[in-house]
Amino acid sequence: MKSFFSSLLFLLTLSTYGISQPTRLWIDTDLIIGKYTRDVDDGVALKLCLQSPQVNVAGISIVKNLAHGYKKAQQFVSWYAPTQTIGIYKGAKSEKELGKETPATQALAAALAKEKLSILVIGQATNIGTLVANHPEVVGNIERIVFCAGRSKGTHFSLPPFKQYLLDYNFEHDTAAFALLLKSNVPMVFAGYEATQTIYLSKQDIEPLKNSNNKGDRWMHRKLTQWINIWSSVLGVKKGFIPFDAVTAGYFIAPQYLHCVPAAMRIQPEVNDGDRILKGATKPNLNAFVSPTGISLFCDSTAPAYKQLLINSFTSPTPLITTK
């Protein structure tokens, strides 16, 4: 009886302070940090997830940049989760391999056969599209998939003063995978440009990484500094860079900071606003239509406080989370 009341008191304490069991999370990424002139936000997201008490990383799969991404994922695990055993698996080389089995899809299917998992997709969706198409028997164990993709209809991806619109990169590098996934019954969340566009990291924000005792932090400081310089010199953006993928990961790290609404997601042909990159008068867009009956969630903004959480993650082993 004493044991029962002790357990009940513990559960009530968890409820009172907003503490819950960490989410079992699989990360699917086109990890490219470390290659000069290439995005670094996937690295910030991976570090955040590996260190956060809010998630428990069940596995990591690589899409597109296989050799580089695999090597870097190994390094990140050694830097930020050295006591954990986390499998890393190579997936599709490109969108042309949609439907082709890979070590990544086989490993994720095996993991889902054993337990329920959420999936964070911070790259093109080829691996996850293949999983859903080839392994319908485990789809019911996907709790949710969160993508860095999607837009409100009519929204352009812009970075003033840079005059060229950006692409919805992850979606546009495998539209077929997204079309397949939208036909499934898997709960999905889309937290792309609109949810991330107000969060910038400056040189001052990342300074704590420079003098860290962690070798990975010091390496990241150099890569993030290079990226900030590229945004300044090439794009004309002087206030830092947007850590897109790291904000998308916020759905699992601190969901109270993301504003998400029910929406129907549709792929629609529209005028090509990225014609300097993609040829043609039109291109498909992944549009969100806010609706109380929508089966997906679309995140359209993030509270400024989330930036402080990211900064905290640079200065302590685990981010400081406000759960209420």
Side-chain angles (χ1 to χ4, degrees), residues 36-49:
Y36 186 63
T37 75
R38 303 301 297 272
D39 295 1
V40 300
D41 51 310
D42 47 18
V44 181
L46 186 54
K47 167 181 163 62
L48 184 66
C49 289

Side-chain angles (χ1 to χ4, degrees), residues 26 89 103-115 117 131 135 137-138 141:
W26 187 282
Y89 308 92
T105 55
Q106 292 169 345
L108 180 51
L112 284 165
K114 297 177 181 178
E115 63 176 322
L117 296 172
L131 171 83
H135 298 278
E137 72 281 2
V138 301
N141 269 357

Side-chain angles (χ1 to χ4, degrees), residues 44-74:
V44 181
L46 186 54
K47 167 181 163 62
L48 184 66
C49 289
L50 288 171
Q51 290 191 299
S52 174
Q54 308 303 112
V55 301
N56 186 320
V57 178
I60 301 169
S61 51
I62 309 299
V63 65
K64 193 171 182 179
N65 307 294
L66 301 186
H68 179 86
Y70 183 83
K71 179 180 178 180
K72 286 303 169 191
Q74 287 181 313

Side-chain angles (χ1 to χ4, degrees), residues 61-193:
S61 51
I62 309 299
V63 65
K64 193 171 182 179
N65 307 294
L66 301 186
H68 179 86
Y70 183 83
K71 179 180 178 180
K72 286 303 169 191
Q74 287 181 313
Q75 288 182 316
F76 270 73
V77 171
S78 71
W79 290 334
Y80 300 118
T83 63
Q84 299 179 40
T85 301
I86 299 174
I88 303 167
Y89 308 92
K90 295 179 181 178
K93 296 178 182 178
S94 75
E95 66 276 11
K96 294 179 181 179
E97 294 191 341
L98 179 63
K100 177 183 176 181
E101 284 293 336
T102 62
T105 55
Q106 292 169 345
L108 180 51
L112 284 165
K114 297 177 181 178
E115 63 176 322
K116 290 184 177 293
L117 296 172
S118 290
I119 305 173
L120 173 64
V121 181
I122 47 177
Q124 64 190 61
T126 311
N127 289 341
I128 309 307
T130 297
L131 171 83
V132 169
N134 294 2
H135 298 278
E137 72 281 2
V138 301
V139 169
N141 269 357
I142 301 175
E143 291 194 325
R144 67 188 57 81
I145 307 175
V146 177
F147 300 94
C148 184
R151 69 176 81 198
S152 298
K153 184 175 176 61
T155 297
H156 299 286
F157 294 7
S158 63
L159 297 173
F162 189 57
K163 300 189 185 319
Q164 181 178 325
Y165 291 131
L166 306 181
L167 298 178
D168 190 356
Y169 184 91
N170 295 333
F171 164 70
E172 297 188 44
H173 278 72
D174 197 346
T175 58
F178 277 92
L180 185 157
L181 288 164
L182 289 177
K183 294 177 182 178
S184 73
N185 293 319
V186 179
M188 289 182 283
V189 181
F190 297 83
Y193 166 81

